[in-house]
Amino acid sequence: MRNFLKNFIFVFVFLFLVAAVLGYVRSEKNKGPEVVSITKMVEEINAGQVKTVIIKGDTLSLQLKDEKAKLQEVQKEQNGTFGEIVKNYGVSSSSLAQLSVEVKTDSSWKFWVGNLLPVLLPLIIFVLFFYFMTRGVQGMNNKAMGFGQSNPRQTNPDDKNKKTFTDVAGAKEAKQELVEVVDFLKDPKKFADMGAKIPKGVLLVGSPGTGKTLLAKAVAGEANVPFFNMSGSEFVEMFVGVGASRVRDLFSKAKKEAPAIVFIDEIDAVGRRRGAGLGGGHDEREQTLNQILVEMDGFEPNLGVIVVAATNRPDVLDPALLRPGRFDRRVTLDLPDIKDREEILGIHAKNKPLEAEVSLRKIAERTPGFSGADLANLLNEAAILAVRRGKKKVSEIDILESIEKVLLGPERKNRIISDQEKKMTAYHEAGHAIVGHYMAHGDPVRKVSVISRGQAGGYTLKMPTEDKHYHTLAQFKDELAMMLGGYVVEKAIFGDNMLSTGPSSDLVNATKVAHDMVVRYGMSTMGPRTFGDHQEMVFLGREITEQRDYSEKTAEAIDREVSGFLAEAEKRAKEVIDNRSPQLEAMVKELMEKETLEQEDVERILGPRQ
């Protein structure tokens, strides 16, 4: 549509100019001399009224002695001369003697326009029409011929928006690994003199949002070299061989700009294990992978080009891609710890006006498990919330509420619920909070609310005081007891007949945790072993079924162990609830009034944790 409008405007302007020229010629013609007959000319000459006769081709221009009179024109015969005309019409010699006769050659642009335009105009219109009709077909042909060309996004060293390591908070070990790549690109002779070879490829592995792409851009910015960026999905097309052609074209462009960095994002789109899919050796994805393997370490040396790739699925990559000589080095980016989260928040808070009381350390404590992208989204949501409330600066309350929005979804304050449902929700969440508060190995309760968020009718938010990398058996047991706290309270307060669907998600999560404790972590009485082979179907990228490596008798024992963990958790939760009935009623009362209780309110009602 855009090209059609462009062509239409061009043709319209051209035809408008042609019409204007023709109109101008016609108007000039109307302003010209008066056309008279040969007989009248002869009469005027015999009467002595004509002063000058100008001959231009087949046209005779008559200038009368009367200066006010209009110039006259006479069209003579094509082969006849002025002398023959006056002789044939009997003009006297005395009359001719009074005339001034001039002969001029018509070489003006009007002559050429008048004679050539009627012939050229249809031809020009036909040529333009044919050109615009074939232009679209040529564009399609050019696009078809360009299938094999790569179109990488290139960042040059003089780019004003280039990234450096100062723009990447945390990931200290990962940055240290990549510093050597930067040093090689800056001074390769230093490594060559020592006989060292820089890795040809660096594979960045990490969960989504941990900063793999940002780190690759920082490497290019630090090294001050061209940076070619393509996604793995951009190589594969509907035609066989296009992906391999694009790989060759990409590396050819990078070699011309060497030293340079080629970044392939989501390389698992083309780098999956060969032979595991549904296609054979002719599969387009496998041909693309084969070409990448050859370009990285084939017969032709890949001098001056370092390949950086990113993926969050290293387990599905082909072994030939991971061997030394291709991706020699694997850099793992973990989720940021509390110190890294504080630094990341500091970077994303630079362009946001924050209140003086905002503590980034406190925000970092409330966001365990958040990636760098999650933290950026968190502060963005807080800024939007502050604007919505008409504030000039972002407060700590805005950020804390944004944490809950990211974790659970937006508040649904307009949701109309009955007093009975609100009371059941208050008891349910109070049960979670009380059991979690008195569990010695559990995480402290940060917030309790009966306001619906997302799919949850209410929520109890617990956060650890420090990052955890391991979970003990005692921690799992305390977590199970807290999960069943709401179920136990509903059952105790409202009876078995009034047990609602509210605890359903708690039961699902508790059962999964108990099952993992038995079959994956070896925390049961069945001995130090795991049960089941958790293999993934590579070409689908997800786990379909669990392959059993145990008998039906063992399965029954696993079920007993899982049920035992859940029964123990229910018993422990019931003991806490029975011994804290006054605190339970006090918390429910405040939840019914305030709807939301912060950590300070919870500790005021329940007392300090033991």
Side-chain angles (χ1 to χ4, degrees), residues 92 108 166 192 392 412 421 423 429 440 559 592 609:
S92 62
S108 65
T166 57
K392 299 297 182 181
R412 295 193 292 172
E421 288 186 354
K423 185 178 180 180
E429 300 304 333
D559 290 340
M592 294 293 289
R609 298 189 71 200

Side-chain angles (χ1 to χ4, degrees), residues 31-36 40 44 60 62 70-74:
K31 295 179 181 179
E34 178 185 358
V35 179
V36 298
K40 186 175 181 180
E44 291 177 344
L60 304 176
L62 307 178
K70 191 176 181 181
L71 189 68
Q72 296 179 351
E73 273 191 0
V74 178

Side-chain angles (χ1 to χ4, degrees), residues 211-267:
K212 300 184 291 294
T213 304
L214 179 62
L215 197 57
K217 291 181 179 180
V219 172
E222 290 285 344
N224 206 31
V225 297
F227 178 78
F228 296 87
N229 176 21
M230 283 191 71
S231 173
S233 60
E234 295 182 60
F235 290 107
V236 181
E237 280 283 356
M238 61 184 293
F239 300 112
V240 176
V242 171
S245 176
R246 288 182 175 177
V247 171
R248 289 191 293 269
D249 185 65
L250 172 63
F251 278 87
S252 175
K253 292 177 179 178
K255 289 175 184 178
K256 292 179 182 179
E257 301 288 339
I261 292 177
V262 172
F263 177 61
I264 304 177
D265 198 7
E266 303 296 344
I267 194 173

Side-chain angles (χ1 to χ4, degrees), residues 104-123:
K104 292 184 179 181
T105 303
D106 192 355
S107 59
S108 65
W109 65 272
K110 294 181 181 179
F111 171 79
W112 295 105
V113 170
N115 288 275
L116 297 181
L117 192 60
V119 179
L120 292 180
L121 184 60
L123 181 62

Side-chain angles (χ1 to χ4, degrees), residues 165 168 171 174-175 178 204 211-219 331 333:
F165 283 151
V168 183
K175 287 192 288 188
L178 294 172
L204 302 178
K212 300 184 291 294
T213 304
L214 179 62
L215 197 57
K217 291 181 179 180
V219 172
V331 179
L333 281 78

Side-chain angles (χ1 to χ4, degrees), residues 423-443:
K423 185 178 180 180
M424 292 181 68
T425 303
Y427 272 105
H428 181 95
E429 300 304 333
H432 285 307
I434 291 176
V435 176
H437 183 77
Y438 290 110
M439 291 292 111
H441 301 284
D443 298 328

Side-chain angles (χ1 to χ4, degrees), residues 484 487-488 491 565-575:
L484 297 181
Y487 171 82
V488 171
K491 192 174 180 181
F565 279 127
L566 295 175
E568 181 185 353
E570 182 183 7
K571 180 181 178 181
R572 295 181 64 198
K574 190 174 186 306
E575 290 176 355

